[in-house]
Amino acid sequence: MNVVNLDLNLLVSLDALLRERSVTRAAARMGLGQPALSMALRRLRRHFGDELLTRVGNSYELTPLALRLREPAAEALAGFERVFTSTPAFDQATTRRRFHVLCSDNTTAMLGPLVSTILAERAPGASVRFSQPENRQPDSGETDTWGEGILRRHDAVVAPHGVFPGRPHLELWTDSWVALVWSGNTRIGSVLTSENLAEFPWVLFDNDTLLPPPPPRHLLDPRIQVLVDSFLAMPFYIVGTDRLALLPAGLAARWRSDTELRVLPLPGAPAPINNALWWHPTHTDDPEHSWFRAVFAEAGQRLARARPASSLRSTA
């Protein structure tokens, strides 16, 4: 097949269609009219000899081929964008680059405001998109390929150690685990005991793509009642109940003044949460990406100074 004759705009259309699973939503995502994207879908169907999107009831589903194309299409588009947004020299005052970071909402809330402040001061034309990953676990035996794809499709990922072993990373800040309790729960005193951990039901963070660090040893067999992929949503599952929530101390501190909630330390000495910025090796020598990593390093240092127990170190 001679790829020279292919219209690269079809790659953009393919990625949008596979992500949205809808011609209407994909057209809105691209800022196009629906007829234009319908025409692109017809061309893609002819090219692949496959329907790609099939109607099931009132919605569309991806064909088996389309499911296989999702990651390769996203990776190819990310590479295409990196190539054609590259410049001979990087000027922070004039750059218009948009950086895409995959992270939990804990990072978005804790580190995101610091990163955006630095960007606004030094690179007013740049922007950063923080997004949470889809709750999807890699197939058995394909962890390396899966991790490679995640890092290729994003400028960086903020995650604790253990998710991307062997990849270049920058240590950002260290946090610890605490428990969130409803203030009306009179069965729990001012100190949380090991017995409380086993007695009461829990709300825990769960996202198979962006794995959290291992929970404290006391919670090896917690009585889980609710699983959510958002730390910020946890208070809504605590007030008026006897549940406990496990979340990072830095984020929990935001609710210390809330009269309906109490933040309690966990008994024992839970292992710290070491948050790091991870990226694909192909980004390491990119001047824009190097500058972007420095922004995150500074934001991490500012956050660490606000939390004396934190530390910052870099590994490339």
Coordinates of all heavy atoms in Angstrom, one line a residue, residues 219-299:
L219 N -5.2 -2.5 55.7 CA -6.3 -2.6 54.8 C -6.1 -3.7 53.8 O -6.6 -3.6 52.6 CB -6.6 -1.3 54.1 CG -7.0 -0.1 55.0 CD1 -7.3 1.1 54.1 CD2 -8.3 -0.5 55.7
L220 N -5.5 -4.8 54.2 CA -5.2 -5.9 53.2 C -6.6 -6.6 52.9 O -6.7 -7.1 51.8 CB -4.3 -6.9 53.8 CG -2.8 -6.4 54.0 CD1 -2.0 -7.5 54.6 CD2 -2.3 -5.9 52.7
D221 N -7.5 -6.5 53.8 CA -8.8 -7.1 53.5 C -9.9 -6.2 54.0 O -10.7 -6.5 54.9 CB -8.9 -8.5 54.2 CG -10.2 -9.2 53.8 OD1 -10.7 -9.0 52.7 OD2 -10.6 -10.1 54.5
P222 N -10.1 -5.0 53.4 CA -11.1 -4.0 53.9 C -12.5 -4.5 53.5 O -12.7 -5.2 52.5 CB -10.7 -2.7 53.2 CG -10.0 -3.2 51.9 CD -9.3 -4.4 52.3
R223 N -13.5 -4.0 54.3 CA -14.9 -4.3 53.9 C -15.3 -3.2 53.0 O -15.8 -2.1 53.4 CB -15.7 -4.3 55.2 CG -17.2 -4.7 54.9 CD -17.8 -5.3 56.1 NE -18.0 -4.3 57.2 CZ -19.1 -3.5 57.4 NH1 -20.1 -3.6 56.5 NH2 -19.2 -2.7 58.4
I224 N -15.1 -3.4 51.7 CA -15.3 -2.4 50.7 C -16.8 -2.2 50.4 O -17.5 -3.2 50.1 CB -14.6 -2.7 49.3 CG1 -13.1 -2.7 49.6 CG2 -14.9 -1.6 48.3 CD1 -12.3 -3.2 48.4
Q225 N -17.4 -1.0 50.4 CA -18.8 -0.8 50.1 C -18.9 0.0 48.9 O -19.9 -0.1 48.1 CB -19.5 -0.1 51.3 CG -21.0 -0.2 51.3 CD -21.6 0.3 52.6 OE1 -21.7 1.5 52.9 NE2 -22.0 -0.7 53.4
V226 N -18.0 0.9 48.6 CA -18.1 1.8 47.4 C -16.7 1.9 46.8 O -15.7 2.1 47.5 CB -18.6 3.2 47.7 CG1 -18.6 4.1 46.5 CG2 -19.9 3.1 48.4
L227 N -16.6 1.8 45.5 CA -15.4 2.1 44.7 C -15.6 3.2 43.7 O -16.6 3.2 43.0 CB -14.9 0.8 43.9 CG -14.4 -0.4 44.7 CD1 -14.3 -1.6 43.8 CD2 -13.1 -0.1 45.4
V228 N -14.8 4.2 43.7 CA -14.9 5.4 42.8 C -13.6 5.7 42.2 O -12.5 5.3 42.7 CB -15.5 6.6 43.6 CG1 -16.9 6.4 44.1 CG2 -14.5 7.0 44.8
D229 N -13.6 6.3 41.0 CA -12.4 6.6 40.4 C -12.1 8.1 40.5 O -11.4 8.8 39.7 CB -12.4 6.3 38.9 CG -13.4 7.0 38.1 OD1 -14.2 7.7 38.7 OD2 -13.5 6.8 36.8
S230 N -12.6 8.7 41.6 CA -12.4 10.1 41.9 C -12.2 10.3 43.4 O -13.1 10.0 44.2 CB -13.6 10.9 41.4 OG -13.6 12.2 42.0
F231 N -11.1 10.8 43.8 CA -10.9 11.2 45.2 C -11.8 12.3 45.6 O -12.3 12.4 46.8 CB -9.4 11.6 45.4 CG -8.4 10.4 45.4 CD1 -7.5 10.3 44.4 CD2 -8.4 9.5 46.4 CE1 -6.6 9.2 44.4 CE2 -7.5 8.4 46.4 CZ -6.6 8.3 45.4
L232 N -12.0 13.3 44.7 CA -12.8 14.4 45.1 C -14.3 14.1 45.3 O -15.0 14.8 46.0 CB -12.7 15.5 43.9 CG -11.4 16.1 43.7 CD1 -11.4 17.0 42.5 CD2 -11.0 17.0 44.9
A233 N -14.7 12.9 44.8 CA -16.1 12.5 45.1 C -16.3 11.9 46.4 O -17.4 11.7 46.9 CB -16.6 11.6 43.9
M234 N -15.2 11.5 47.1 CA -15.4 10.7 48.3 C -16.2 11.3 49.4 O -17.0 10.6 50.1 CB -14.0 10.3 48.8 CG -13.3 9.2 47.9 SD -11.7 8.7 48.6 CE -11.4 7.3 47.6
P235 N -16.1 12.6 49.7 CA -16.9 13.2 50.8 C -18.4 12.9 50.6 O -19.1 12.8 51.6 CB -16.5 14.6 50.7 CG -15.2 14.7 50.1 CD -15.1 13.6 49.1
F236 N -18.8 12.9 49.4 CA -20.3 12.7 49.1 C -20.7 11.3 49.6 O -21.9 11.1 49.8 CB -20.6 12.9 47.7 CG -20.3 14.3 47.2 CD1 -19.1 14.6 46.5 CD2 -21.2 15.3 47.5 CE1 -18.9 15.9 46.1 CE2 -21.0 16.6 47.0 CZ -19.8 16.9 46.4
Y237 N -19.8 10.4 49.7 CA -20.1 9.0 50.1 C -19.9 8.8 51.6 O -20.1 7.7 52.1 CB -19.3 8.0 49.3 CG -19.6 8.0 47.8 CD1 -18.9 8.8 47.0 CD2 -20.6 7.1 47.3 CE1 -19.2 8.8 45.6 CE2 -20.9 7.1 46.0 CZ -20.2 8.0 45.1 OH -20.5 8.0 43.8
I238 N -19.4 9.8 52.3 CA -19.1 9.7 53.7 C -20.2 10.4 54.6 O -20.6 9.8 55.6 CB -17.7 10.4 54.0 CG1 -16.7 9.6 53.2 CG2 -17.4 10.3 55.5 CD1 -16.6 8.2 53.5
V239 N -20.6 11.6 54.3 CA -21.5 12.3 55.1 C -22.8 11.6 55.3 O -23.4 11.1 54.3 CB -21.8 13.7 54.5 CG1 -22.9 14.4 55.3 CG2 -20.5 14.6 54.4
G240 N -23.2 11.4 56.5 CA -24.5 10.7 56.8 C -24.4 9.2 56.9 O -25.4 8.5 57.0
T241 N -23.1 8.7 56.8 CA -22.9 7.2 56.8 C -21.9 6.9 57.9 O -21.2 7.7 58.5 CB -22.4 6.7 55.4 OG1 -21.0 7.0 55.3 CG2 -23.2 7.4 54.3
D242 N -21.7 5.6 58.0 CA -20.6 5.1 58.9 C -19.4 4.7 58.1 O -18.5 4.0 58.7 CB -21.1 4.0 59.8 CG -21.5 2.7 59.0 OD1 -21.6 2.8 57.7 OD2 -21.8 1.7 59.6
R243 N -19.3 5.1 56.9 CA -18.2 4.7 56.0 C -16.9 5.5 56.4 O -17.0 6.6 56.9 CB -18.5 4.9 54.5 CG -19.7 4.1 54.0 CD -19.9 4.4 52.5 NE -21.1 3.8 52.1 CZ -22.1 4.5 51.5 NH1 -22.0 5.8 51.3 NH2 -23.2 3.9 51.1
L244 N -15.8 4.9 56.0 CA -14.5 5.5 56.0 C -14.0 5.6 54.6 O -14.2 4.8 53.8 CB -13.5 4.7 56.8 CG -13.9 4.3 58.3 CD1 -12.8 3.4 58.9 CD2 -14.1 5.5 59.1
A245 N -13.2 6.7 54.3 CA -12.6 6.9 53.0 C -11.1 7.0 53.2 O -10.6 7.6 54.1 CB -13.2 8.1 52.3
L246 N -10.4 6.3 52.2 CA -9.0 6.4 52.2 C -8.5 7.3 51.1 O -8.9 7.1 50.0 CB -8.4 5.0 52.0 CG -6.9 4.8 52.0 CD1 -6.3 4.9 53.4 CD2 -6.5 3.5 51.4
L247 N -7.8 8.4 51.5 CA -7.4 9.3 50.5 C -6.1 10.0 50.9 O -5.7 10.0 52.1 CB -8.5 10.3 50.2 CG -8.8 11.4 51.3 CD1 -9.7 12.5 50.6 CD2 -9.6 10.8 52.4
P248 N -5.4 10.7 50.0 CA -4.1 11.3 50.3 C -4.3 12.5 51.3 O -5.3 13.2 51.3 CB -3.6 11.8 49.0 CG -4.3 11.0 48.0 CD -5.6 10.7 48.5
A249 N -3.3 12.6 52.2 CA -3.5 13.6 53.3 C -3.5 15.0 52.8 O -4.2 15.9 53.3 CB -2.3 13.5 54.3
G250 N -2.8 15.3 51.7 CA -2.7 16.7 51.2 C -4.1 17.1 50.7 O -4.5 18.2 50.9
L251 N -4.8 16.2 50.0 CA -6.1 16.5 49.5 C -7.1 16.6 50.7 O -8.0 17.4 50.7 CB -6.6 15.5 48.5 CG -7.9 15.8 47.7 CD1 -7.8 17.1 46.9 CD2 -8.2 14.6 46.8
A252 N -7.0 15.6 51.6 CA -7.9 15.6 52.7 C -7.9 16.9 53.6 O -8.9 17.3 54.2 CB -7.6 14.4 53.6
A253 N -6.7 17.5 53.6 CA -6.5 18.7 54.4 C -7.5 19.8 53.9 O -7.8 20.7 54.7 CB -5.1 19.2 54.3
R254 N -8.0 19.7 52.7 CA -8.9 20.7 52.1 C -10.2 20.7 52.8 O -11.0 21.6 52.8 CB -9.1 20.5 50.6 CG -7.8 20.5 49.8 CD -7.1 21.8 49.8 NE -5.8 21.8 49.1 CZ -5.7 22.1 47.8 NH1 -6.8 22.5 47.1 NH2 -4.5 22.1 47.3
W255 N -10.5 19.5 53.5 CA -11.8 19.4 54.2 C -11.7 19.5 55.7 O -12.7 19.2 56.4 CB -12.4 18.0 53.8 CG -12.8 18.0 52.4 CD1 -13.8 18.8 51.7 CD2 -12.3 17.1 51.3 NE1 -13.9 18.5 50.4 CE2 -13.0 17.5 50.1 CE3 -11.4 16.1 51.3 CZ2 -12.8 16.8 48.9 CZ3 -11.1 15.5 50.1 CH2 -11.8 15.8 48.9
R256 N -10.6 19.9 56.2 CA -10.4 20.0 57.7 C -11.3 21.0 58.3 O -11.7 20.8 59.5 CB -8.9 20.3 58.0 CG -8.0 19.1 57.8 CD -6.6 19.4 58.4 NE -5.7 18.3 58.2 CZ -5.7 17.1 58.9 NH1 -6.5 16.9 59.9 NH2 -4.8 16.2 58.5
S257 N -11.7 22.0 57.5 CA -12.6 23.0 58.1 C -14.1 22.7 57.9 O -14.9 23.4 58.4 CB -12.3 24.4 57.5 OG -12.5 24.3 56.1
D258 N -14.3 21.6 57.2 CA -15.7 21.2 57.0 C -16.3 20.6 58.3 O -15.8 19.6 58.8 CB -15.8 20.2 55.8 CG -17.2 19.9 55.3 OD1 -18.1 19.8 56.2 OD2 -17.4 19.8 54.1
T259 N -17.3 21.2 58.8 CA -17.9 20.7 60.1 C -18.5 19.3 60.0 O -18.8 18.7 61.0 CB -18.9 21.7 60.6 OG1 -20.0 21.9 59.6 CG2 -18.3 23.0 60.9
E260 N -18.8 18.8 58.7 CA -19.5 17.5 58.5 C -18.4 16.4 58.4 O -18.8 15.2 58.3 CB -20.4 17.6 57.3 CG -21.6 18.4 57.5 CD -22.6 18.2 56.4 OE1 -22.3 18.5 55.2 OE2 -23.7 17.7 56.7
L261 N -17.2 16.7 58.3 CA -16.1 15.7 58.1 C -15.0 15.8 59.1 O -14.7 16.9 59.6 CB -15.6 15.9 56.6 CG -16.6 15.7 55.5 CD1 -16.0 16.2 54.2 CD2 -16.9 14.2 55.4
R262 N -14.4 14.7 59.4 CA -13.2 14.7 60.2 C -12.1 13.9 59.4 O -12.4 12.9 58.7 CB -13.5 13.9 61.5 CG -14.3 14.7 62.5 CD -14.3 14.0 63.8 NE -15.0 12.8 63.8 CZ -14.8 11.7 64.6 NH1 -13.9 11.8 65.5 NH2 -15.6 10.6 64.5
V263 N -10.9 14.4 59.5 CA -9.7 13.8 58.9 C -8.9 13.1 60.0 O -8.5 13.9 61.0 CB -8.9 14.8 58.1 CG1 -7.7 14.1 57.5 CG2 -9.7 15.4 57.0
L264 N -8.7 11.8 60.0 CA -8.0 11.1 61.0 C -6.8 10.4 60.5 O -6.9 9.8 59.4 CB -9.0 10.1 61.7 CG -10.2 10.7 62.4 CD1 -11.1 9.5 62.9 CD2 -9.8 11.6 63.5
P265 N -5.7 10.4 61.2 CA -4.5 9.6 60.8 C -4.8 8.2 60.9 O -5.6 7.7 61.8 CB -3.4 10.1 61.7 CG -4.1 10.6 62.9 CD -5.4 11.2 62.4
L266 N -4.2 7.4 60.1 CA -4.3 5.9 60.2 C -3.3 5.4 61.3 O -2.3 5.9 61.5 CB -4.0 5.3 58.9 CG -4.9 5.6 57.8 CD1 -4.3 5.1 56.4 CD2 -6.3 4.9 58.0
P267 N -3.7 4.4 62.0 CA -2.8 3.8 63.0 C -1.6 3.1 62.3 O -1.7 2.7 61.2 CB -3.7 2.7 63.7 CG -4.8 2.4 62.7 CD -5.0 3.7 61.9
G268 N -0.5 3.1 63.1 CA 0.7 2.5 62.5 C 1.4 3.5 61.7 O 1.3 4.8 61.8
A269 N 2.2 3.0 60.8 CA 3.0 3.9 59.9 C 2.8 3.5 58.4 O 3.6 2.8 57.9 CB 4.5 3.8 60.3
P270 N 1.7 4.0 57.8 CA 1.5 3.6 56.4 C 2.6 4.1 55.5 O 3.2 5.1 55.7 CB 0.2 4.4 56.1 CG -0.4 4.7 57.4 CD 0.7 4.9 58.4
A271 N 2.9 3.3 54.5 CA 3.9 3.6 53.5 C 3.5 4.9 52.8 O 2.4 5.2 52.5 CB 4.1 2.5 52.5
P272 N 4.5 5.8 52.5 CA 4.2 7.0 51.8 C 3.8 6.8 50.4 O 4.0 5.8 49.8 CB 5.6 7.8 51.9 CG 6.6 6.7 51.9 CD 6.0 5.6 52.7
I273 N 3.1 7.8 49.8 CA 2.7 7.9 48.4 C 3.7 8.7 47.7 O 3.8 9.9 47.8 CB 1.3 8.4 48.2 CG1 0.3 7.8 49.2 CG2 0.9 8.3 46.8 CD1 -1.0 8.5 49.2
N274 N 4.6 8.1 46.8 CA 5.6 8.8 46.1 C 5.0 9.1 44.7 O 5.0 8.2 43.8 CB 6.9 8.0 46.0 CG 7.5 7.8 47.3 OD1 7.6 8.7 48.1 ND2 7.8 6.6 47.6
N275 N 4.6 10.4 44.4 CA 4.0 10.8 43.2 C 5.1 11.2 42.2 O 6.0 12.0 42.6 CB 3.0 11.9 43.4 CG 1.9 11.5 44.3 OD1 1.0 10.7 43.9 ND2 1.9 12.0 45.5
A276 N 5.1 10.7 41.0 CA 6.1 11.0 40.0 C 5.5 11.4 38.6 O 4.4 11.0 38.3 CB 7.1 9.9 39.9
L277 N 6.3 12.1 37.8 CA 5.9 12.4 36.4 C 6.7 11.5 35.6 O 7.9 11.4 35.6 CB 6.3 13.9 36.1 CG 5.9 14.4 34.7 CD1 4.5 14.8 34.7 CD2 6.8 15.6 34.3
W278 N 5.9 10.7 34.7 CA 6.5 9.7 33.8 C 6.3 10.1 32.4 O 5.3 10.7 32.0 CB 5.8 8.4 34.1 CG 5.9 7.9 35.5 CD1 5.0 8.3 36.5 CD2 6.8 7.0 36.1 NE1 5.4 7.6 37.7 CE2 6.4 6.8 37.4 CE3 7.8 6.2 35.6 CZ2 7.1 6.0 38.3 CZ3 8.5 5.4 36.4 CH2 8.2 5.3 37.8
W279 N 7.3 9.8 31.5 CA 7.1 10.1 30.1 C 7.8 9.1 29.3 O 8.6 8.3 29.7 CB 7.7 11.5 29.8 CG 9.2 11.7 30.0 CD1 10.2 11.5 29.1 CD2 9.9 12.0 31.3 NE1 11.4 11.7 29.7 CE2 11.2 12.1 31.0 CE3 9.4 12.4 32.5 CZ2 12.2 12.4 32.0 CZ3 10.3 12.7 33.5 CH2 11.7 12.7 33.3
H280 N 7.5 9.1 28.0 CA 8.1 8.1 27.0 C 9.5 8.6 26.7 O 9.8 9.8 26.6 CB 7.3 8.0 25.8 CG 7.7 6.9 24.9 ND1 8.7 7.0 23.9 CD2 7.2 5.6 24.9 CE1 8.8 5.8 23.4 NE2 7.9 4.9 23.9
P281 N 10.5 7.7 26.6 CA 11.9 8.1 26.3 C 12.1 9.0 25.1 O 13.0 9.8 25.0 CB 12.6 6.8 26.1 CG 11.8 5.8 26.9 CD 10.4 6.2 26.7
T282 N 11.1 8.9 24.1 CA 11.3 9.7 22.9 C 11.1 11.2 23.2 O 11.5 12.1 22.4 CB 10.2 9.3 21.8 OG1 8.9 9.4 22.4 CG2 10.5 7.9 21.3
H283 N 10.5 11.5 24.4 CA 10.3 12.9 24.8 C 11.6 13.5 25.5 O 11.6 14.8 25.6 CB 9.1 13.1 25.7 CG 7.8 12.7 25.1 ND1 7.4 13.1 23.9 CD2 6.8 11.9 25.6 CE1 6.2 12.6 23.7 NE2 5.8 11.9 24.7
T284 N 12.5 12.7 25.9 CA 13.5 13.1 26.8 C 14.3 14.3 26.2 O 14.6 15.3 27.0 CB 14.5 12.0 27.2 OG1 13.7 10.9 27.8 CG2 15.6 12.4 28.1
D285 N 14.7 14.3 25.0 CA 15.5 15.3 24.4 C 14.8 16.4 23.7 O 15.4 17.3 23.1 CB 16.5 14.7 23.4 CG 17.5 13.7 24.1 OD1 17.9 14.0 25.2 OD2 17.9 12.7 23.5
D286 N 13.5 16.4 23.8 CA 12.6 17.5 23.2 C 12.8 18.7 24.0 O 12.4 18.7 25.2 CB 11.2 17.0 23.1 CG 10.2 18.0 22.6 OD1 10.7 19.1 22.2 OD2 9.0 17.7 22.5
P287 N 13.2 19.8 23.5 CA 13.4 21.1 24.3 C 12.1 21.5 24.9 O 12.2 22.0 26.1 CB 13.9 22.1 23.2 CG 14.5 21.3 22.1 CD 13.7 20.0 22.1
E288 N 11.0 21.5 24.2 CA 9.7 21.9 24.8 C 9.3 21.0 26.0 O 8.9 21.5 27.0 CB 8.6 21.9 23.7 CG 8.7 23.1 22.8 CD 7.5 23.2 21.9 OE1 7.1 22.1 21.3 OE2 6.9 24.2 21.8
H289 N 9.5 19.7 25.8 CA 9.2 18.8 26.8 C 10.1 18.9 28.0 O 9.6 18.8 29.2 CB 9.2 17.3 26.3 CG 8.4 16.4 27.1 ND1 9.0 15.8 28.2 CD2 7.2 15.9 27.0 CE1 8.1 15.0 28.8 NE2 7.0 15.0 28.0
S290 N 11.4 19.1 27.8 CA 12.3 19.4 28.9 C 11.9 20.6 29.7 O 11.9 20.6 30.9 CB 13.7 19.5 28.3 OG 14.6 19.8 29.4
W291 N 11.5 21.7 29.0 CA 11.0 22.9 29.7 C 9.7 22.5 30.5 O 9.6 23.0 31.6 CB 10.7 23.9 28.7 CG 10.1 25.2 29.3 CD1 10.7 26.2 29.9 CD2 8.7 25.5 29.3 NE1 9.8 27.2 30.3 CE2 8.5 26.7 30.0 CE3 7.5 24.8 28.9 CZ2 7.3 27.3 30.2 CZ3 6.3 25.4 29.1 CH2 6.2 26.6 29.7
F292 N 8.8 21.8 29.9 CA 7.6 21.4 30.5 C 7.9 20.6 31.8 O 7.2 20.8 32.8 CB 6.7 20.6 29.5 CG 5.4 20.2 30.1 CD1 4.5 21.1 30.4 CD2 5.1 18.8 30.2 CE1 3.2 20.7 30.9 CE2 3.9 18.4 30.6 CZ 2.9 19.3 31.0
R293 N 8.8 19.7 31.7 CA 9.2 18.9 32.9 C 9.7 19.8 34.0 O 9.5 19.6 35.2 CB 10.2 17.8 32.6 CG 9.7 16.8 31.6 CD 10.5 15.5 31.5 NE 11.9 15.8 31.2 CZ 12.4 15.7 30.0 NH1 11.7 15.5 28.9 NH2 13.7 16.0 29.8
A294 N 10.5 20.8 33.6 CA 11.0 21.7 34.6 C 9.9 22.5 35.3 O 10.0 22.8 36.5 CB 12.0 22.7 33.9
V295 N 8.8 22.8 34.6 CA 7.6 23.4 35.2 C 7.0 22.5 36.2 O 6.7 23.0 37.3 CB 6.6 23.8 34.1 CG1 5.2 24.2 34.7 CG2 7.1 24.9 33.2
F296 N 6.9 21.2 35.9 CA 6.3 20.3 36.9 C 7.3 20.1 38.1 O 6.8 20.0 39.2 CB 6.1 18.9 36.2 CG 4.7 18.8 35.8 CD1 4.2 19.3 34.6 CD2 3.7 18.1 36.5 CE1 2.9 19.2 34.1 CE2 2.4 17.9 36.1 CZ 2.0 18.5 34.9
A297 N 8.6 20.1 37.8 CA 9.5 20.0 38.9 C 9.4 21.2 39.9 O 9.4 21.0 41.1 CB 11.0 20.0 38.4
E298 N 9.3 22.4 39.3 CA 9.1 23.6 40.2 C 7.8 23.5 40.9 O 7.7 23.8 42.1 CB 9.1 24.8 39.3 CG 9.0 26.1 40.2 CD 9.3 27.4 39.4 OE1 9.9 27.3 38.3 OE2 8.8 28.4 39.9
A299 N 6.7 23.1 40.3 CA 5.4 23.0 40.9 C 5.5 21.9 42.1 O 5.0 22.1 43.2 CB 4.3 22.6 39.9

